[in-house]
Amino acid sequence: MCPQGVRSNAGVRRLAFSLTRIRYVHKKFSQQYKATIGADFLTKEVLIEDRLVTLQIWDTAGQERFQSLGVAFYRGADCCVLVYDVNAKRSFNTLGTWHDEFINQAGPSDPNQFPFILVGNKVDLDSGSRRVVPEKKAKDWCVAKGNIPYFETSAKDDYNVDTAFLCIAKLALENEHDEDIYFHSVAEQATKTEEQTSGCAC
Amino acid sequence: MEMTISPRKEHNSEGTGFLPRAEIVQDEHPLSLGKTSVWNQHFQESETVEQIDRDVKRTHPEMQFFNAGSSDALANQESLKRILTIFAKLNPGIRYVQGMNEVLAPLYYVFKNDPDQSNAAEAESDAFFCFVEVLSGFRDNFCKQLDNSVVGIRSTISRLSQLLKRHDEELWRHLEVVTKVNPQFYAFRWITLLLTQEFKFRDCIHLWDALLGDPEGPPDTLLRICCAMLILVRRRLLAGDFTANLKLLQNYPPTNIDHLIHIANKLRGLVPC
């Protein structure tokens, strides 16, 4: 069973992002990139163990005003990536709220098992001299939330971003089973017809 | 700040300037989260000002007018900041929502480029007045508390969906039923930012002439234009799946604005309430 619009032999996994963006998909970086309004949609193909996986990525807006609108983007996600800025304490302090809000709105069948990943971004800024959130503090937070994997990245220097994404894709695949059940429950006749014609193999 | 919370009352009686703790009401405590707390208000305001500052700096960075590093461009940025800050203060229920900078930019640009110098000199106040006026028709879209009400953004988006269904049911069915593209995925930004992000700046100003000048009023006209945007790319949408359609609508292709307005005009009288 596949979610909507799947090409054959490719699984589509949905991810939701919060707080700030990682310019991964476009492989480009601009410090003056516009603020996200609502959510930006991106896709990325990743090869894992001979399997081509298409990640559908929602880069959701960071301002609190947009938080309540997350439900449309979060529901059906296989993995949630929380991104904070290691140079901004506030972005770290609000992680808990975003984490809880995601669980609330996405409503996964087993909230304790749902895969999250934490990414500390912008480690490149002024060679790290402006850093205010120590790595240990972030790791402690991850342990407290049930051993969430943690990565430090620089989207600007393209540092560690690929490693983080590979981990995200693997976790999303492991979580596949739960989502199969989910998509069964929302599937409509129209989706079934489309699957038959697209020859979906998963 | 530290001095005002000293608990040592005796110091005051000795005239050392310390304020006795008993005289500090709860709301004057620097850590108070109370709504009437001046400190809490102060912290919230500085957060808003920082957010406005960040967003104004990245308003049309490609345009010299806003971002040349020249004294003129810096003065323009200061004007945008003042307008947004005052709007936020006058509208405590909404304050500043990211993206308002994009709605303000075309208004300020037009006033500031008035060939009559005496008019251009008043650009900041004129733009402020018009910004308030434009948002009066759209402010509910920015208000989180109204998201689930009949006047909030969700309801506005579903009116767009109904308009499309009424006018082009085949396209509506393909988008929302077959490919499951929830209109919120693309129309949220279209509607809240009045299409400023979907077209080039010049095209946007052209489009706004129709949007703001229409006798049916900007809110209904905006929905008609959004619906016309969908109809203009209907062939590609009907051939597309979820991913292709969402990418197309989140990155709307360059369009002849006059033709778009022409199509939107044909939908007149069909906007559902």
Side-chain angles (χ1 to χ4, degrees), chain B:
Chain B
M1 203 198 306
E2 292 140 27
M3 292 174 72
T4 58
I5 54 165
S6 168
R8 288 187 288 181
K9 207 174 178 178
E10 66 272 21
H11 279 263
N12 195 47
S13 54
E14 287 162 15
T16 53
F18 286 107
L19 216 61
R21 188 182 180 88
E23 286 182 19
I24 298 174
V25 295
Q26 176 63 24
D27 276 353
E28 283 170 14
H29 192 284
L31 299 179
S32 166
L33 293 173
K35 272 196 176 151
T36 53
S37 158
V38 284
W39 285 102
N40 191 24
Q41 281 169 13
H42 167 75
F43 291 132
Q44 281 192 354
E45 269 175 34
S46 33
E47 207 175 284
T48 303
V49 169
E50 274 171 41
Q51 183 74 67
I52 290 172
D53 186 55
R54 271 199 298 272
D55 287 349
V56 164
K57 279 185 185 143
R58 47 187 182 170
T59 305
H60 296 288
E62 77 287 356
M63 288 175 69
Q64 287 215 335
F65 179 84
F66 291 109
N67 214 341
S70 62
S71 58
D72 280 354
L74 288 174
N76 290 337
Q77 288 193 348
E78 288 304 317
S79 289
L80 296 183
K81 276 193 239 174
R82 278 192 294 269
I83 294 171
L84 293 168
T85 307
I86 291 169
F87 182 87
K89 285 199 78 137
L90 291 176
N91 295 273
I94 300 177
R95 288 197 289 173
Y96 170 72
V97 176
Q98 283 195 299
M100 284 180 177
N101 56 318
E102 307 288 355
V103 177
L104 171 62
L107 296 171
Y108 180 76
Y109 178 89
V110 168
F111 283 117
K112 191 70 182 173
N113 285 293
D114 194 312
D116 183 332
Q117 283 300 312
S118 62
N119 285 343
E122 307 294 334
E124 186 175 322
S125 45
D126 287 344
F128 175 77
F129 179 84
C130 287
F131 181 65
V132 173
E133 197 63 21
V134 168
L135 279 204
S136 68
F138 294 104
R139 47 175 286 163
D140 292 347
N141 292 334
F142 287 95
C143 184
K144 192 167 86 172
Q145 284 72 28
L146 296 176
D147 279 348
N148 295 317
S149 76
V150 289
V151 291
I153 182 66
R154 281 209 178 97
S155 155
T156 309
I157 290 173
S158 70
R159 283 175 64 212
L160 169 62
S161 171
Q162 287 165 37
L163 183 64
L164 178 67
K165 186 180 180 184
R166 199 176 294 188
H167 198 79
D168 189 341
E169 191 163 349
E170 186 191 4
L171 179 57
W172 172 85
R173 187 169 300 283
H174 182 77
L175 264 183
E176 295 190 26
V177 182
V178 178
T179 61
K180 296 255 188 324
V181 176
N182 178 337
Q184 193 187 315
F185 295 167
Y186 59 89
F188 182 82
R189 189 178 69 195
W190 287 11
I191 291 169
T192 50
L193 303 193
L194 312 188
L195 298 171
T196 52
Q197 305 304 287
E198 321 311 322
F199 302 100
K200 284 195 206 114
F201 191 73
R202 293 263 161 206
D203 285 348
C204 167
I205 287 178
H206 183 174
L207 188 62
W208 272 30
D209 281 339
L211 176 67
L212 301 180
D214 196 286
E216 281 185 15
D220 283 358
T221 309
L222 177 66
L223 291 188
R224 275 193 283 112
I225 295 172
C226 290
C227 188
M229 284 168 67
L230 293 167
I231 291 168
L232 271 182
V233 291
R234 80 185 298 272
R235 208 173 281 179
R236 286 168 72 178
L237 289 173
L238 286 173
D241 61 8
F242 175 81
T243 301
N245 286 348
L246 202 45
K247 283 188 173 177
L248 177 65
L249 297 176
Q250 281 211 348
N251 306 281
Y252 198 82
T255 303
N256 180 323
I257 299 297
D258 284 325
H259 185 55
L260 174 61
I261 294 168
H262 173 73
I263 301 291
N265 277 333
K266 283 186 171 178
L267 308 177
R268 212 171 275 282
L270 284 167
V271 177
C273 327

